[in-house]
Amino acid sequence: YCRGLRKDVSVRLTGNVFPTSDYYLAHVQIIPERVTVYSSKQLLDSIRYIETEKLNIQNFSDTVITTVTLKRINGARFSQKTVRVELYPDILTEELVDVPITVVNLPKGINVRTFPSHVHVKFNVGVSQYRTINTSQFEVVVDYNQINLASDKCPLQISKMPNGITKASLEFKEVDYLIEN
């Protein structure tokens, strides 16, 4: 029985959770995601989330399901003392896509051609996401404002890539260019 007020707040996982070197943490599920906190109005106003006790799981390559205790807050009571944490690792794969180079910030009447006109982007992605990745989700640009006219090369930048991609790198950092009026 509690005479205090109540509020539903989210649960945050704390600690160190690292899969083995060829894997990444694809998804974390906390069940339930929210718990009810009972306390005085002043204390409730200061609580934004509830942390779990520190979880230390490293070098795993398969799904881990464990029960974790919620970190106590003096003067507050929770609707439950533990939550279930599910950790889903996914194996990383290195992939390569061929992306066209786009020129941005071009003044009117100016055209810039790059040589080559496409560049390979190398990146790491989880196997479960591999089939959803395509070339149109990437954008490699040359910014006209960053071209040094004294040089025969212009710098490239990755300006867009899909979520879940890590360690994206370009085959070339610079390409040859030609300015046409």
Side-chain angles (χ1 to χ4, degrees), residues 21-39:
S21 62
D22 292 340
Y23 287 75
Y24 78 104
L25 191 56
H27 182 67
V28 175
Q29 180 78 36
I30 299 174
I31 303 169
E33 294 176 355
R34 300 179 70 78
V35 296
T36 304
V37 179
Y38 300 92
S39 182

Side-chain angles (χ1 to χ4, degrees), residues 116-157:
S117 62
H118 288 72
V119 66
H120 287 113
V121 177
K122 185 167 56 171
F123 58 92
N124 290 343
V125 65
V127 171
S128 64
Q129 286 184 294
Y130 168 70
R131 293 179 202 258
T132 65
I133 303 297
N134 62 53
T135 300
S136 67
Q137 295 172 299
F138 291 85
E139 188 174 79
V140 175
V141 299
V142 169
D143 187 343
Y144 182 80
N145 296 331
Q146 293 182 353
I147 293 177
N148 178 358
L149 298 176
S151 172
D152 59 345
K153 301 248 184 220
C154 60
L156 296 175
Q157 302 171 11

Side-chain angles (χ1 to χ4, degrees), residues 26-161:
H27 182 67
V28 175
Q29 180 78 36
I30 299 174
I31 303 169
E33 294 176 355
R34 300 179 70 78
V35 296
T36 304
V37 179
Y38 300 92
S39 182
S40 66
K41 179 174 177 14
Q42 183 179 6
L43 185 55
L44 272 182
D45 289 344
S46 68
I47 298 173
R48 301 282 176 244
Y49 54 86
I50 302 296
E51 292 182 340
T52 65
E53 292 292 337
K54 291 197 180 209
L55 187 63
N56 188 14
I57 301 176
Q58 297 181 14
N59 295 324
F60 62 98
S61 59
D62 201 4
T63 301
V64 173
I65 298 173
T66 187
T67 301
V68 183
T69 305
L70 295 175
K71 197 173 192 179
R72 292 179 40 92
I73 298 175
N74 287 333
R77 194 172 63 85
F78 309 141
S79 58
Q80 56 192 79
K81 294 179 181 178
T82 61
V83 292
R84 189 170 85 200
V85 175
E86 300 174 356
L87 308 171
Y88 298 95
D90 191 8
I91 194 163
L92 283 172
T93 184
E94 187 173 84
E95 295 301 326
L96 190 73
V97 292
D98 190 43
V99 180
I101 299 171
T102 307
V103 181
V104 295
N105 297 322
L106 273 175
K108 274 195 170 192
I110 301 284
N111 189 28
V112 174
R113 292 182 190 232
T114 62
F115 303 98
S117 62
H118 288 72
V119 66
H120 287 113
V121 177
K122 185 167 56 171
F123 58 92
N124 290 343
V125 65
V127 171
S128 64
Q129 286 184 294
Y130 168 70
R131 293 179 202 258
T132 65
I133 303 297
N134 62 53
T135 300
S136 67
Q137 295 172 299
F138 291 85
E139 188 174 79
V140 175
V141 299
V142 169
D143 187 343
Y144 182 80
N145 296 331
Q146 293 182 353
I147 293 177
N148 178 358
L149 298 176
S151 172
D152 59 345
K153 301 248 184 220
C154 60
L156 296 175
Q157 302 171 11
I158 300 173
S159 65
K160 183 177 103 176
M161 63 183 169

